[in-house]
């Protein structure tokens, strides 16, 4: 539904509301027997016959003291005849009409019915007729039909100019481009004149297609990028000023689509960096309007967020390494400063923080080698996780968990080969940051403390078990297999004892249960994997040690009455 239709419906509802207010005033007049003025009700100075009331607390209450209860406002049923026949029917058939014009041009060319000049003249006359009738319909308050006809007139003007240049060669590219720009300006003027989003969308679609409708032997990327960027700025400004949501989204998508289409067919063209420059300008303008306006904020936030990905993709694909690094550093600094300046506006600072995290994420991937990337992502993820809980930002929580998971996966797929290596250091960072994450949830969210502790404890046990296994196998890499598996079993038992000890010390039952589970896991390993490969004396040592630990552990579960 466009702006004019909404205004019309509001006027109808306002008229119905005024009628109901008049009826209420008439009822009050009958009850009070006093004159009623328009506007606010005038309370009479002389009290008329009061009605006796038996309740002592309300003995002095009269009819004039009581406020009439307004009748509930009734919403009018949807006028489907208006929706279908007045709104969507003309939109459908103007499209059919334009397709018919295109086929008419094609048929006239194929069969030689008319010469080129007559065909173009008929096209411009048709466009003029649509514009004239559209103005008439707008004058007679048939806004939807008038807007459709005006938009159709702009479309036919663009098609006729395209045919005159590309199909029949009657004018050169410079004149054709100038005429197309004039038609776009007419569309912008009509949009401002009638506040019509439909006209604006038709104009912006035609405007972005104009460069592709002009054939030139020596196309200039400077003119193309400059024109498309300027067109985006004009229609984005219109969308913000007139609060046209669909025009805002269309301008964003069409600029990126036009640049991508151009690059797909000429990726090696000289000056391709201008394409990335246009996208950077687009991101800066989107960010400016996000910070300075409050129109459709959710859509603006999503658009700016998407623009971060799109802009980085363009920059990464076209710019050199140094330029990419400088761009990412500038983005990190910009969003850090903006987050500080807009810290009082939570709905905006959340999005600024998320975008800043994305820039930092891209910078880490671009600047650092894969060897150090896992640890850096873990540190970034836990830092962002703490900030997200402190400032209560749900989106930042999701993004920080995502970054932490990527860092975790990178640590998991890079096993420890040497005990004194950076892989070991990465594992220690993973374990420490994971514990910090559990502590953050425990501190800031009391509602899910127990769940966080349970799930976090189980995951920490898994990570620590993998770490102990990899570290033990790396330390004993030079020993025979039976010795290595023996030491691994002792390492698992030691870990179980430590976990049970922590559970006793902190009175944390879950830790004691996890420790017992590790003992059982060690027993299963001994039975299924170790028995066939180790000698009898080692079997005796392992089972005696495991049995003693199990008995001692069972003793600690007895409590004094």
């Amino acid at each position: 539904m466009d702006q004019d239709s909404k205004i019309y419906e509001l006027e109808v509802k306002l008229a119905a509301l005024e009628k109901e207010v008049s009826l209420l005033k008439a009822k009050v007049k009958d009850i009070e027997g006093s004159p009623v003025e328009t506007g606010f009700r005038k309370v009479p100075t002389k009290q008329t016959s009061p009605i006796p009331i038996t309740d002592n607390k309300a003995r002095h209450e009269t009819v004039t003291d009581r406020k009439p209860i307004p009748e509930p406002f009734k919403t009018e049923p949807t006028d489907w005849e208006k929706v279908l026949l007045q709104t969507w029917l003309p939109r459908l058939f103007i499209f059919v009409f334009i397709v018919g014009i295109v086929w008419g041009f094609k048929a006239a060319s194929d069969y030689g019915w008319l010469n080129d000049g007559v065909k173009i003249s008929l096209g411009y006359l048709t466009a003029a007729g649509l514009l004239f009738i559209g103005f008439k319909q707008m004058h007679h308050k048939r806004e939807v039909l008038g807007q459709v006809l005006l938009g159709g007139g702009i479309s036919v003007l663009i098609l006729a100019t395209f045919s005159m240049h590309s199909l029949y060669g009657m004018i050169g590219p410079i004149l054709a481009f100038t005429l197309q720009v004039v038609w776009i300006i007419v569309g912008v003027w009509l949009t401002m004149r009638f506040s019509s989003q439909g006209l604006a969308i038709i104009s912006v679609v035609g405007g972005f297609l104009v460069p592709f409708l002009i054939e030139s032997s020596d196309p200039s990327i400077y003119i193309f990028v400059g024109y498309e960027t300027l067109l985006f700025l004009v229609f984005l400004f219109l969308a913000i000023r007139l609060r046209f949501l669909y025009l805002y989204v269309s301008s964003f998508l069409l600029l990126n689509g036009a640049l991508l289409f151009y690059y797909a067919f000429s990726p090696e063209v000289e000056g391709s960096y201008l394409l990335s420059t246009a996208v950077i300008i687009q991101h800066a303008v989107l960010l400016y309007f996000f910070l300075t306006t409050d129109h459709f904020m959710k859509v603006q936030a999503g658009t700016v967020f998407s623009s971060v990905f799109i802009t980085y993709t363009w920059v990464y694909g076209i710019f050199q390494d140094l330029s990419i690094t400088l761009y990412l550093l500038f983005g990190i600094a910009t969003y850090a400063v903006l987050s500080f300046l807009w810290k009082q506006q939570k709905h905006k600072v959340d999005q600024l923080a998320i975008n800043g995290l994305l820039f930092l994420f891209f910078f880490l991937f671009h600047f650092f080698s894969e060897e150090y990337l896992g640890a850096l992502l873990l540190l970034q993820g836990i830092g962002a996780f703490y900030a997200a809980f402190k400032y209560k930002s749900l989106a930042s929580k999701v993004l920080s968990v995502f970054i932490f998971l990527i860092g975790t996966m990178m640590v998991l797929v890079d096993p420890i080969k040497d005990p004194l290596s950076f892989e070991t250091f990465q594992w220690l960072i993973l374990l420490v940051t994971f514990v910090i994450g559990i502590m953050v949830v425990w501190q800031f969210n009391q509602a899910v403390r127990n769940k966080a502790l349970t799930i976090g404890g189980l995951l920490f046990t898994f990570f620590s078990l993998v770490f102990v296994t990899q570290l033990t196998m790396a330390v004993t890499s030079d020993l025979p297999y039976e010795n290595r598996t023996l030491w691994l079993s002792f390492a698992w038992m030691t870990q179980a004892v430590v976990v049970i000890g922590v559970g006793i010390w902190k009175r944390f039952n879950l830790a004691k249960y996890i420790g017992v589970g590790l003992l059982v896991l060690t027993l299963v390993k001994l039975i299924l994997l170790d028995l066939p490969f180790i000698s009898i004396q080692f079997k005796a040592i392992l089972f005696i040690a495991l049995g003693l630990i199990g008995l001692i552990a069972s003793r600690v579960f007895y409590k004094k009455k």
Side-chain angles (χ1 to χ4, degrees):
M1 181 180 295
D2 54 29
Q3 191 78 10
D4 295 332
S5 299
K6 292 180 180 179
I7 294 174
Y8 173 76
E9 289 190 2
L10 286 174
E11 291 176 349
V12 172
K13 292 179 179 179
L14 182 60
L17 185 60
E18 290 176 348
K19 183 178 180 180
E20 292 184 5
V21 170
S22 300
L23 293 175
L24 281 174
K25 289 181 178 179
K27 291 180 181 179
V28 173
K29 180 179 179 181
D30 293 339
I31 294 173
E32 297 180 347
S34 60
V36 179
E37 296 179 356
T38 58
F40 293 99
R41 180 171 64 87
K42 182 177 180 181
V43 180
T45 56
K46 184 178 180 180
Q47 183 173 327
T48 56
S49 56
I51 299 176
I53 301 176
T54 58
D55 190 354
N56 292 331
K57 295 181 180 180
R59 186 177 300 278
H60 300 289
E61 183 179 340
T62 62
V63 175
T64 56
D65 297 322
R66 298 179 181 175
K67 295 181 180 180
I69 301 175
E71 297 181 4
F73 181 75
K74 297 180 181 179
T75 57
E76 298 182 358
T78 303
D79 188 352
W80 289 107
E81 179 179 351
K82 176 183 177 182
V83 172
L84 296 177
L85 302 183
Q86 297 183 22
T87 303
W88 288 104
L89 191 68
R91 294 176 179 176
L92 171 64
F93 283 96
I94 192 64
F95 174 76
V96 175
F97 179 76
I98 293 174
V99 172
I101 290 177
V102 174
W103 284 350
F105 272 106
K106 185 69 169 57
S109 300
D110 292 342
Y111 295 99
W113 293 338
L114 302 171
N115 60 46
D116 297 342
V118 174
K119 287 183 284 188
I120 295 302
S121 299
L122 289 176
Y124 282 115
L125 287 174
T126 302
L130 289 173
L131 292 173
F132 177 77
I133 299 174
F135 270 102
K136 283 289 187 181
Q137 299 303 313
M138 296 297 293
H139 178 70
H140 291 294
K141 305 300 181 182
R142 304 184 188 101
E143 288 85 0
V144 176
L145 178 60
Q147 293 170 11
V148 168
L149 293 173
L150 292 173
I154 297 297
S155 300
V156 174
L157 285 173
I158 293 174
L159 288 173
T161 305
F162 163 73
S163 301
M164 183 167 55
H165 164 65
S166 299
L167 298 182
Y168 309 132
M170 299 174 63
I171 58 176
I174 296 178
L175 179 57
F177 183 79
T178 303
L179 288 175
Q180 298 286 33
V181 172
V182 170
W183 309 145
I184 300 304
I185 293 174
V186 173
V188 172
W189 177 77
L190 291 174
T191 299
M192 298 290 293
R193 172 72 172 79
F194 298 110
S195 296
S196 170
Q197 185 165 208
L199 273 172
I201 292 177
I202 291 174
S203 300
V204 74
V205 172
F208 278 107
L209 289 177
V210 161
F212 302 101
L213 301 178
I214 305 298
E215 291 184 358
S216 176
S217 58
D218 187 21
S220 172
I221 188 173
Y222 297 95
I223 295 177
F224 172 79
V225 173
Y227 167 79
E228 296 284 4
T229 305
L230 181 60
L231 190 71
F232 161 77
L233 295 175
V234 169
F235 280 98
L236 188 74
F237 174 77
L238 279 179
I240 294 296
R241 179 176 178 180
L242 301 178
R243 302 190 181 189
F244 286 165
L245 172 61
Y246 298 116
L247 179 62
Y248 176 87
V249 177
S250 299
S251 302
F252 169 70
L253 295 176
L254 287 170
L255 176 61
N256 287 286
L259 297 176
L260 181 62
F261 187 82
Y262 185 93
Y263 184 73
F265 286 93
S266 54
E268 304 299 331
V269 67
E270 183 179 357
S272 57
Y273 68 91
L274 292 173
L275 302 174
S276 296
T277 304
V279 181
I280 293 174
I281 293 173
Q282 180 192 54
H283 181 74
V285 175
L286 291 172
L287 179 60
Y288 169 78
F289 283 121
F290 172 74
L291 294 174
T292 57
T293 65
D294 291 316
H295 312 327
F296 34 87
M297 289 305 300
K298 290 184 178 180
V299 176
Q300 283 205 64
T303 305
V304 175
F305 180 76
S306 303
S307 180
V308 173
F309 285 96
I310 294 173
T311 307
Y312 174 71
T313 303
W314 277 100
V315 170
Y316 182 79
I318 294 180
F319 284 175
Q320 300 299 320
D321 286 343
L322 179 60
S323 299
I324 299 173
T325 303
L326 293 176
Y327 163 75
L328 292 174
L329 288 175
F330 180 77
I332 294 170
T334 299
Y335 275 102
V337 172
L338 293 176
S339 298
F340 175 76
L341 295 177
W342 267 264
K343 61 183 177 181
Q344 301 301 328
Q345 301 185 37
K346 186 178 184 305
H347 63 294
K348 293 185 178 181
V349 74
D350 285 351
Q351 190 61 47
L352 294 174
I354 292 172
N355 293 350
L357 283 176
L358 280 179
F359 269 94
L360 180 57
F361 178 77
F362 293 142
F363 174 75
L364 295 178
F365 263 96
H366 171 72
F367 191 76
F368 293 94
S369 64
E370 188 175 349
E371 179 183 1
Y372 308 106
L373 194 54
L376 292 171
L377 292 178
L378 290 173
L379 294 174
Q380 182 196 1
I382 197 62
F385 192 67
Y386 173 78
F389 268 92
K390 184 176 181 179
Y391 296 105
K392 300 178 181 180
S393 173
L394 177 60
S396 295
K397 292 176 187 176
V398 175
L399 183 59
S400 62
V401 171
F402 173 74
I403 294 173
F404 191 87
L405 285 176
I406 293 179
T408 302
M409 294 302 299
M410 297 188 73
V411 173
L412 289 174
V413 299
D414 191 13
I416 299 174
K417 301 180 181 66
D418 184 356
L420 299 177
S421 62
F422 188 77
E423 288 82 5
T424 305
F425 181 66
Q426 282 194 137
W427 267 103
L428 293 175
I429 292 178
L430 171 60
L431 296 177
V432 172
T433 52
F434 195 86
V435 172
I436 293 174
I438 297 175
M439 294 172 62
V440 168
V441 178
W442 178 271
Q443 178 182 356
F444 288 102
N445 196 336
Q446 298 182 0
V448 296
R449 276 185 171 184
N450 294 330
K451 290 182 179 179
L453 202 57
T454 302
I455 298 174
L458 293 173
L459 289 175
F460 180 80
T461 301
F462 169 75
F463 291 139
S464 60
L465 186 64
V466 175
F467 170 68
V468 168
T469 301
Q470 291 190 10
L471 183 62
T472 304
M473 299 304 286
V475 171
T476 61
S477 59
D478 296 332
L479 299 178
Y481 175 77
E482 62 179 17
N483 294 339
R484 297 180 70 191
T485 189
L486 176 66
W487 283 110
L488 181 59
S489 298
F490 275 117
W492 284 12
M493 284 188 283
T494 303
Q495 182 181 0
V497 171
V498 171
V499 173
I500 294 174
V502 171
I504 297 171
W505 176 39
K506 292 294 185 180
R507 297 182 181 180
F508 182 30
N509 288 332
L510 178 63
K512 293 187 287 186
Y513 300 149
I514 291 175
V516 173
L518 289 174
L519 290 177
V520 175
L521 179 64
T522 306
L523 178 61
V524 172
K525 172 183 175 295
L526 288 174
I527 295 174
L528 298 181
L529 299 178
D530 296 344
L531 287 181
F533 303 101
I534 60 178
S535 60
I536 188 67
Q537 64 270 26
F538 289 135
K539 293 177 184 178
I541 295 172
L542 281 174
F543 273 79
I544 289 172
L546 185 60
L548 286 175
I549 294 173
L551 291 173
I552 295 172
S554 65
R555 171 64 181 83
V556 302
F557 283 94
Y558 284 91
K559 297 180 180 179
K560 295 181 179 180
K561 297 182 180 180

